[in-house]
Amino acid sequence: MELGNGRLPSLLGKLKFPIVLEDVTAEEVAEAYNVIREATIDLVAPLATEDYVVQSCPEASPPKWHLAHTTWFFETLVLEPLLSGYEAVEPLYKMLFNSYYESVGHYFTRIHRGTLSRPTVAEVMFYREQVDKALLEWIRSIPADGWAEVVSLIGLGLQHEQQHQELLMMDILANFAANPMNPSYHTLLPEGSYNPVADIEWLSIPEGVVQIGYDGVGFAYDNELPCHGEYLSSAYIANRTVTNGEFLEFLNAGGYSAPLFWLSDGWRWVNEHGCHHPRYWRQVDGNWFEFTLFGLVPLKLDLPVSHVSFYEADAYARWKGLRLPTEAEWEWAAVNLPITLGGLLEYGNHRGSDESERQIDGNSRYSTDQGNNNAYTNGEGSKYGVDNNESNKHRGNIYRAGPVTGPPGALLHAIGGVWEWTRSPYIAYPGYHPPGGYLGEYNGKFMNAQYVLRGGCVATPVAHIRPTYRNFFQPESTWAFSGIRLARDES
Amino acid sequence: MELGNGRLPSLLGKLKFPIVLEDVTAEEVAEAYNVIREATIDLVAPLATEDYVVQSCPEASPPKWHLAHTTWFFETLVLEPLLSGYEAVEPLYKMLFNSYYESVGHYFTRIHRGTLSRPTVAEVMFYREQVDKALLEWIRSIPADGWAEVVSLIGLGLQHEQQHQELLMMDILANFAANPMNPSYHTLLPEGSYNPVADIEWLSIPEGVVQIGYDGVGFAYDNELPCHGEYLSSAYIANRTVTNGEFLEFLNAGGYSAPLFWLSDGWRWVNEHGCHHPRYWRQVDGNWFEFTLFGLVPLKLDLPVSHVSFYEADAYARWKGLRLPTEAEWEWAAVNLPITLGGLLEYGNHRGSDESERQIDGNSRYSTDQGNNNAYTNGEGSKYGVDNNESNKHRGNIYRAGPVTGPPGALLHAIGGVWEWTRSPYIAYPGYHPPGGYLGEYNGKFMNAQYVLRGGCVATPVAHIRPTYRNFFQPESTWAFSGIRLARDES
Amino acid sequence: MELGNGRLPSLLGKLKFPIVLEDVTAEEVAEAYNVIREATIDLVAPLATEDYVVQSCPEASPPKWHLAHTTWFFETLVLEPLLSGYEAVEPLYKMLFNSYYESVGHYFTRIHRGTLSRPTVAEVMFYREQVDKALLEWIRSIPADGWAEVVSLIGLGLQHEQQHQELLMMDILANFAANPMNPSYHTLLPEGSYNPVADIEWLSIPEGVVQIGYDGVGFAYDNELPCHGEYLSSAYIANRTVTNGEFLEFLNAGGYSAPLFWLSDGWRWVNEHGCHHPRYWRQVDGNWFEFTLFGLVPLKLDLPVSHVSFYEADAYARWKGLRLPTEAEWEWAAVNLPITLGGLLEYGNHRGSDESERQIDGNSRYSTDQGNNNAYTNGEGSKYGVDNNESNKHRGNIYRAGPVTGPPGALLHAIGGVWEWTRSPYIAYPGYHPPGGYLGEYNGKFMNAQYVLRGGCVATPVAHIRPTYRNFFQPESTWAFSGIRLARDES
Amino acid sequence: MELGNGRLPSLLGKLKFPIVLEDVTAEEVAEAYNVIREATIDLVAPLATEDYVVQSCPEASPPKWHLAHTTWFFETLVLEPLLSGYEAVEPLYKMLFNSYYESVGHYFTRIHRGTLSRPTVAEVMFYREQVDKALLEWIRSIPADGWAEVVSLIGLGLQHEQQHQELLMMDILANFAANPMNPSYHTLLPEGSYNPVADIEWLSIPEGVVQIGYDGVGFAYDNELPCHGEYLSSAYIANRTVTNGEFLEFLNAGGYSAPLFWLSDGWRWVNEHGCHHPRYWRQVDGNWFEFTLFGLVPLKLDLPVSHVSFYEADAYARWKGLRLPTEAEWEWAAVNLPITLGGLLEYGNHRGSDESERQIDGNSRYSTDQGNNNAYTNGEGSKYGVDNNESNKHRGNIYRAGPVTGPPGALLHAIGGVWEWTRSPYIAYPGYHPPGGYLGEYNGKFMNAQYVLRGGCVATPVAHIRPTYRNFFQPESTWAFSGIRLARDES
């Protein structure tokens, strides 16, 4: 599946993880590198210097940490081991900007990242420039026998950078939301009109053995591998995600004070943290508001509920007498049913640029194996405050998932919009083996006590997501752009 | 599968959960009730009054709490709703001995159970007697139209009591182990001879769709339902569990200080708790000992390692380049391969009574579906300090899992011995619906952030376990008699 | 000052700390030892075995721990160092029952004392018997040159045992209060009549240099030494302590939700612990009750408020526009003004025995230095539910401080009744030097972040208290029988 | 006593707290206001924008918070209540920059101040400018009948601002010390020569009643009032503070692992925090360094030890067989003995300006009451890295207390250098009454569980300190420039 042909570098379509790449040119690598690294800088452009420094909660990191850590990846994991004679810009950065790689050495305590005023933003920018310069020079002189390994690592570094682009948006939102000044990342856009939110439809999932996991020729993370058989019982999945208005019904029905709808751990979470609404909802004088990247705005009932925990998603589903889908159900539906796109982060578009229409195609396995039912429609997208149906411009705004509209019979906004909690714990696929060395720490060691989310969100770079992509968070996590799609058993 | 025909009440073979029972007599119910309730009292017979009171760690409960809580189950969930005019022995017990049933009302804080000196042991025993008397009188006068529901609930109460029999042994061990006086529950038995520990064999699991979950006509918990299809990739499972000696190699190789063998959460657990050996191992002057129900004894290298966490089991497996089995793999093997029994708790036998030979049969589905490969051999059992091969007496001692010996080709001590960690998170089976009311809280609300263990242990009542049984604990838990059986992918 | 001539052993009047004693006989020592050790056993007589085991809060200890620890004092600090050839009853007790003496070696974690079921109560009683026997045999054979040291240490051990007699009552109350069963230590006694609670009078304290600290010839703790000059400004001290009814006015006036009456740390304490009434008050259906050693009884408005923290005492005083006295003011008043006694623990009397009238005299310094203004009146005592003015029997019941009645012009219930918080931090007197060795750990190392309380309470042994006695607790502590006496500056 | 005649505004000498002022002109107020407010800005001049934002430990605050909070004081406590029609620059600041005044309303959680990126530094500077402008305009138009109150409050606001000047230096040091980059606030100055550290002399304190507390005509805080009698026993106080080298002996002698030298709470602090050296000492390859405002520099043995806790100070004193002085002893000595000055913060001098000689005189009471023994000598001051004896320039550098040199018989560096822990808990003086309203929260509510420090330090503004000044911190606090002066009893 290819998303976003526009400014998307061709390299990304050729990456494969963890095996190596050969058929790309240095120019292709340099172009991809420049585009993606610049996109990161575009994202932080609206920030004041002070905004780069703070860490309002343990799960967030200061924006300048992301800028440095993504650079650290290229310096420590690519340049230092592979470029003979390379000298680190600042030796301490190896420790300071290591996130969690035990095989690389010690690292600074995560929860204290926000206590560090130095290096300054300017010093971090200098770090980025120095590493970029060294890498781009080097890339043009690599001998053929090392080429494949280098390019594969750079490609992984770029995927990694894209993950941090989404984290940047999550963290900026978390930081701003914790500030009584209610700062906004972006001014509220004028609102267009859009079609009504789609009615709920239950899309059928047939019983049988299906293939789950990535088997394409492009890039996928190790945790999407290997493609393997799973047995599905017959079930149904909802065509769209749950709206704010629907979730408000749960809240108003006393959902947050009814233990029987909650997992035991979830009920403890509710009580220990005094949860009684989604993380970014605020009630002021009886009216509901939502804190967003536009600042504090009235809660719009037709938008998908966002930033809910797995516990909240699960409790909501139980209250409805339903359940969350498994990740296999979700993946089958996303591959085999018509889908539309919600908003996604596209390079440039968050600055308001035009965007051409595009056609989404499945990857080879999907189209080959499943026949022609894979006719993705154009998504009407996330138009919260911005889109209109005529021009379909700005479809992919990255600030807030828009209302889920679209044609009948499709898995609407399956890709983009909000991440969708599944009921599947994040574990290894059968036959999974983590790669050796530090790469083995990338995903494998987190396969415990987390749940899989699928589909990407408005803050996910358009070229980064695919139907087999497995995101994962702890069940109490509300920090991602996470929402709810329901499923039900064959009754 | 029937285990322990000896003193096993016939009722237990007829129970089915959650549906109702009709074809049992009041006498059968009374016999089962008496046998199982008395067995609980037998277990606490070696205790001093003070031993009933303490709670040495948050996960344990005072023994007298177990005696009261199991009685509470019959009083609050059976007598009060169903026996008109029944008056509670003491109204406060409804709150004090409610474990976690939100639908029943408030309950006393779990971690403070050990702060309560009242009711005294004698008062708890009086409570048991009063409830027993009321229930046994009533059971003989129930009209036919209410019979099935009553008997089903009593049957569940007896299964529940059996679970607490195992918990009693876990808690007594935990409490004694936390006491510098090193008290012992039982004097060390004279040691017999036994065959050498079996060599590791890798038993083959074929690829394909299998049926997982209970489909027999007897009792099973709701979490074993429904029986459903799962797809297995081809793999191998070890014929026996890991020994103390093998685990000591991991320890001596620096396993507890090598982060790359551990899940990220596991590595945090190791460091925050300063773990560097299994919970009940002690090193004294360079020699390893193990705290057991016999008190502190030298570590025996040929016994199965016990009381390890999931994190330790998983790290050990990674260190070996292997993995833990999934619960589906385990269940398939236990149903379809020859198995032997480890020690199990049998009524009377922990007091040293003889025990007749017995034949283990699969339930109907297994024998019907899978043909004749279900030839369970007689287990040689747990003989730590007690058994000998000739007489096979005392096989099921309940104090410490014995060495795993047995014939080639069999899944040795699959049932009994130690609980075996699987790599499967504890989640609902496809199509699972928790029952309504308080029964829905029995299992369903704990389906989060825990792992499934299979097979039972020396402290599991013999009539309580079956191949489809799903036990579950948090990955850091070391309080159960939990060990390690390895698996590996088809390479 | 001598209190309780009745069964009080003559030894106690001759003890002096930390210097040595010579003029007592072995029989005197044996008599004192027997009386005081037996008094401890009398106190625990109403307990069930289970009651000896639990520790309901970190500050309390299990009753059996007190029984063992006081014995440990004699074994470890007296017999082992001084009696050649003495063998410990159980070597592990040295660690298990060491409270906090670093110079003696490791000790078991205080907050986990309630997790230990062994040694059992019977084993602890055996320990007491063995040590008693060894000590009493030995005491009759000590050569003259070691006599003084031995007797001084035994005397200290007996003072220590008396402190633990009070702690036993505090801990039993705390444990019972934490139990929803509301157990009672003693049945509620029939209530007698008594005079009305005394009206508040303000007793004048003149300006000038006074001598503070012990300078008598009897026993005093090191922290009462040396007697030294302090300068008092003129002030007033209340003739009696604050009643429940008066404190209830503070509560009803919103005192617990008005930050300006509280110290900053106190306000945090109020909010973090959700304090809104004294520790043992309970509100049931709008009516106030108090948990006491009689169980839960209606709150009596004319009793002195008890079990309040320093923070509560201080906030109450501020709300009244007043303050707490300093310990020097208190001591001056207790020595120089007429005083009466509240209830105190007397050996035997808690079992209801008669008690003869007695005359209280000051110690030499007070009577010599201060002339004849030291005319202590007979206290009318604590009659809560028991006393009457005619017979003055049972005056010193140990269960709950009684109403403060008495003649005008006297510092009523200055000794006994409730401990009285002073505004004085617990620090060393000028010229104080802690004794060497483990004795230096007895008091000196706790001189930080605590406040001094004066006067003793109903649970203080009658022969243990004196006007110079300095008790001390953390300001948040509510576990002692602590109340409030007010003072005010010369206006 | 007047310190720093140079740029010191005349207003400061005329302030009196809490009573009102009348004999100053608007120009005097404006001058004082401008000088002190500008001095704050001078202090933050070396910071990068990022340095204003972080809070590396709970006790510190972000520098920009100090800039805003001191402004809040003038806006919320002066302009809003007294200047009719004044409109707040930003209403939210009232809550955001309230430190702890319950009477003013809610305030933002202290420990989360470092999570706020907004308002930005520029916005805070704008806030300062707006408030300064409003206040300075207003001050020139106040009618005579309100003049005294206004000026008194402004005066208090300026004293408050000076306190935060010191806090700024403490917090910048704490933040930089927590950063592995080892940033420096100031480049290390070239080191001059100086006289050898003075030998220890024991200065005699006679027995008798002394007057303690402020009775001058200038400004003092409420906690220095009233001047009152105290009785001193005869004792000795050391002429100088303890050096790094002397403290290192304690460390090398195992002081941090010897429980008997520590208060019980101190020993717990040592173990829970793993303390084994003063907060800013670092050991690198066996060599000791100290983190200072110059960055990480080799530990200089002849400098006074700084940034030690009360626990460390007290343990050091016990190890020496000595003790800390009481605050009354300290004050008597500072008033009645010749003293010299250590470095102090003078406006301008931290930027390297010249400084004229100055003469320190006692306030009227001291010179009148005590005769002519109050001949303060010129301090040789803190010359660490900067001073030389000839020119005595830069004496008051604010970065690190310099070596204590000086003539015999004097209390050297009694004022300036390091704050000196006393053994006196921070409590109210006899007759103390906190002022009403929010002023009552300034000092009074913190009179619990803290110790008094005396004398000021290199970061204390020169015009802010006096011999009666009472600083206070929790005993575990190491964040101030706190050192050790010893005392001993008459032996």
Side-chain angles (χ1 to χ4, degrees), chain B residues 296-319:
Chain B
L296 192 67
V297 297
L299 184 74
K300 303 203 54 137
L301 300 183
D302 53 3
L303 299 189
V305 69
S306 187
H307 295 282
V308 290
S309 68
F310 173 83
Y311 293 134
E312 288 166 306
D314 179 75
Y316 177 82
R318 289 181 197 227
W319 176 70

Side-chain angles (χ1 to χ4, degrees), chain B residues 51-127:
Chain B
D51 298 330
Y52 288 83
V53 180
V54 298
Q55 174 180 31
S56 64
C57 54
E59 61 267 32
S61 294
K64 78 183 171 82
W65 187 89
H66 290 292
L67 299 185
H69 168 66
T70 50
T71 306
W72 169 94
F73 193 99
F74 290 110
E75 181 177 71
T76 306
L77 305 184
V78 185
L79 290 174
E80 289 206 330
L82 297 177
L83 173 53
S84 167
Y86 178 81
E87 283 191 25
V89 173
E90 162 54 59
L92 271 169
Y93 292 175
K94 183 172 181 180
M95 179 276 284
L96 273 181
F97 300 120
N98 180 0
S99 50
Y100 55 65
Y101 292 89
E102 304 281 350
S103 50
V104 173
H106 289 293
Y107 45 89
F108 192 74
T109 312
R110 177 178 178 141
I111 58 169
H112 293 151
R113 288 176 186 163
T115 66
L116 301 181
S117 60
R118 310 291 179 94
T120 62
V121 174
E123 288 164 341
V124 167
M125 292 300 186
F126 178 77
Y127 179 38

